[in-house]
Amino acid sequence: MKLNLFFIILFVVLGAQLLKAQNSEEEKLFIEAIESRFNDPYKSLKLYDYLLKNTNTEESVAIEIKKLQLNRLLGEYEEAVAISQKIESTITNSTSTDLQFEYWRELATLYNDLNLMGEGNTVYEKALNSYNNLNLNLKKKYAIDLSLLKVKYLKPEQTESKISGLKEILDKMDDKDERKPFIQFQIAKLYYSQQNDSSRLYFNKIIRDFNVKPLSQASRTYLNLNHTDSTEYQKVVDNLFDVELEAVLLNKAIQYWSIKRNEDSLMVYEKRLQNYFFEKNQSIRNAKVSLIQGVYRKKQKDNVEKVLVRNRQLYIVIGLLGLLLLIYFGNRYFRRNRVDTKDDIDDSKGTVISDKTEEEILEKLRKFENSKLFLDKQLRIASLAKQLGTNTRYLSSVINASKNKSFNAYINSLRIQYIVDKLKSDAKYRSYKISYLAEESGFVSQSSFTTAFKEITGSTPSAYIKNISD
C-alpha cells in the first residue's frame, strides 16, 4: 500500500514538472516569435502556428492577433482579413480588455492599409474606447501602440506631423523594443520623397545599429536607388516590410531603360510593373470584398438577433397583457359573484321594514319564483330590486328573514330546484351534458353549477342523474 502511494505521488510530481517544462518551453517560443517578427517574419509565423496547436482559447486569440499583424505588414491582406473575421466573435465576447484593444487596434490599422477610411474610422473609435477601458498599468503598457495608431490615422498629406509623431514615439521607447528599427524605417521612408539627407540618416542607422535583416536589406536598396547601376533595379527583394518597394524598383528600372532607350528592357519592366499592380490590386480588392462582406454578414446577423430579441420582448409583453387581462376579468367575475353576497348581508343589517311592505315584497317574490326570471345569468340583487319596485336593502332583508339565505344562495336554490324538477320529469335531460344543464339553469360556469348542486342536493349532478336513472 505504501509502495503504491509512493508511485502515485511520484507520477503526480513528474507530471507537474513535465507540464511546467512544457509551459516554460512554450513561453520561450512565444517570446522568440515576438522577437523574430522584424528579423525573420516567416519564422515568426511558423512559431505562432506551432504554438496554436497547444493553447487555450485566450492564448490562441493573442497569437492570432500577432499573426494578423505580421500578415498585414507583409502585405498578405487576405490572410489578415481571414484571421480578423475568425476571432472577432471571440473578441466581442471576451472579458480581456487588453486583447480587445490589441484586436481593434490591428483591425483599424488593417482598414487604413486597405484605404477603407470610412469604415476604418468606426473601428478606430472602437480601439480608442477599448483603450479607455484598460486599467492604469495596461494603459501605460499600450500607450505607444495607441500613439502609433493615432499617427497611422493622420491624413496622407500630413507628412510632417507623421514624422514628428513617430520621432516622439521613438524617444519614449525602450532600447530593447523590437519595433524600434521598424519605426525608424517608416521615418526614413517618409523623408525619402522630401529630404534625401534625413532619409539616408535613418536608413544608415537601421543598417548600422540593428541586426534586422529584412529592414537592413530594404534600407540598403533605398540608399542604392540614387546610383546609376541598372542591375540594382532588376532585383526584387522578397519578405520585406515594404509592400511599395517592388513598385519603386520597377519604376526606377523603367526610368533607367527609358533614358538608355532600350525598348526591349523597357517593355520587360513595364510588363512586370503592370503585372505587379494587377496582382496587388487584385489582392487588395479581394481583401476589401472579404472584409466588407464580413461586416455586412455581421450586420445581418445583428439585425436578425435584434428582430428575435424584439419578437421575444413582444411575446413577453403580449403574454403579460394576456395574464393581466385574465387576472382582471377573473377578479372582476369573482368580485361580482361576491359583491352581491356582501351587499346582501350588509344591506340586511339593521334594516327595519313594515309588515305591509314585507308582505308586498314576499308576494312579488312568489310571482318571481313562478316566472323563471331567476334563470337569467345577468340577474343581480340590484336589477331584481328594481323589477320588484323596492331597494336592495329591503329585498336583502326580506330574503334573509323569510328564506334564511343570502341573495345568491336563494337564486342558486331556485335554479337547482328548477333543473332537479326537469331531471325528474323529463328523461331526456338526464342524457344532456353537465355543461348544458348548467347553461339551462342560468349558471355562468359548469364549476359553479356543480358546487351549488352538491351543496343543495348533497351529491354531484352526475351522481344524482345516475341515482334517479337507476
Side-chain angles (χ1 to χ4, degrees), residues 25 56 211 223 240 254 297 300 317 452:
E25 182 64 24
N56 59 39
N211 184 25
L223 288 172
L240 303 179
I254 289 169
R297 283 194 298 269
Q300 278 190 316
V317 169

Short mmCIF file of all heavy atoms in Angstrom, two decimals, residues 25 56 211 223 240 254 297 300 317 452:
data_model
loop_
_atom_site.label_atom_id
_atom_site.label_comp_id
_atom_site.label_asym_id
_atom_site.label_seq_id
_atom_site.Cartn_x
_atom_site.Cartn_y
_atom_site.Cartn_z
N GLU A 25 8.71 26.04 -22.06
CA GLU A 25 9.18 25.97 -23.43
C GLU A 25 8.30 26.78 -24.37
O GLU A 25 8.78 27.49 -25.26
CB GLU A 25 9.22 24.50 -23.89
CG GLU A 25 9.75 24.29 -25.29
CD GLU A 25 11.21 24.70 -25.46
OE1 GLU A 25 11.94 24.71 -24.44
OE2 GLU A 25 11.61 25.03 -26.59
N ASN A 56 -4.89 27.38 -25.07
CA ASN A 56 -6.31 27.56 -24.77
C ASN A 56 -6.87 28.70 -25.61
O ASN A 56 -6.14 29.34 -26.38
CB ASN A 56 -6.54 27.81 -23.28
CG ASN A 56 -5.81 29.05 -22.77
OD1 ASN A 56 -5.74 30.06 -23.46
ND2 ASN A 56 -5.26 28.97 -21.57
N ASN A 211 20.55 44.62 -36.16
CA ASN A 211 20.77 43.42 -36.95
C ASN A 211 19.42 42.84 -37.36
O ASN A 211 19.00 41.78 -36.91
CB ASN A 211 21.58 42.39 -36.13
CG ASN A 211 21.90 41.16 -36.96
OD1 ASN A 211 21.97 41.22 -38.18
ND2 ASN A 211 22.10 40.03 -36.28
N LEU A 223 18.90 53.18 -50.34
CA LEU A 223 20.11 54.00 -50.43
C LEU A 223 20.78 53.88 -51.80
O LEU A 223 21.38 54.84 -52.31
CB LEU A 223 21.10 53.60 -49.33
CG LEU A 223 20.72 54.01 -47.90
CD1 LEU A 223 21.68 53.38 -46.90
CD2 LEU A 223 20.72 55.53 -47.75
N LEU A 240 10.18 41.60 -47.32
CA LEU A 240 10.49 42.87 -46.67
C LEU A 240 9.20 43.50 -46.16
O LEU A 240 8.12 43.27 -46.69
CB LEU A 240 11.17 43.82 -47.65
CG LEU A 240 12.47 43.31 -48.29
CD1 LEU A 240 13.01 44.36 -49.24
CD2 LEU A 240 13.51 42.97 -47.23
N ILE A 254 12.38 51.30 -65.14
CA ILE A 254 11.73 51.86 -66.34
C ILE A 254 12.37 53.20 -66.70
O ILE A 254 12.64 53.49 -67.89
CB ILE A 254 10.22 51.99 -66.10
CG1 ILE A 254 9.56 50.60 -66.06
CG2 ILE A 254 9.56 52.85 -67.18
CD1 ILE A 254 8.12 50.60 -65.57
N ARG A 297 -22.33 40.67 -43.30
CA ARG A 297 -22.89 39.47 -42.66
C ARG A 297 -23.13 39.70 -41.18
O ARG A 297 -24.13 39.25 -40.62
CB ARG A 297 -21.96 38.27 -42.87
CG ARG A 297 -22.02 37.66 -44.25
CD ARG A 297 -21.35 36.30 -44.27
NE ARG A 297 -19.95 36.38 -43.93
CZ ARG A 297 -18.97 36.55 -44.81
NH1 ARG A 297 -19.26 36.66 -46.09
NH2 ARG A 297 -17.70 36.61 -44.42
N GLN A 300 -26.16 41.80 -40.77
CA GLN A 300 -27.36 40.98 -40.99
C GLN A 300 -27.65 40.12 -39.76
O GLN A 300 -28.79 40.02 -39.32
CB GLN A 300 -27.16 40.08 -42.21
CG GLN A 300 -27.43 40.76 -43.54
CD GLN A 300 -27.47 39.77 -44.67
OE1 GLN A 300 -26.64 38.88 -44.76
NE2 GLN A 300 -28.45 39.90 -45.55
N VAL A 317 -44.48 40.81 -23.65
CA VAL A 317 -45.45 41.88 -23.37
C VAL A 317 -46.87 41.39 -23.61
O VAL A 317 -47.77 41.61 -22.79
CB VAL A 317 -45.15 43.13 -24.24
CG1 VAL A 317 -46.29 44.13 -24.14
CG2 VAL A 317 -43.84 43.77 -23.79
N ALA A 452 -72.87 24.42 -6.50
CA ALA A 452 -74.20 24.74 -5.94
C ALA A 452 -75.09 23.48 -5.88
O ALA A 452 -75.82 23.27 -4.90
CB ALA A 452 -74.86 25.82 -6.78
#
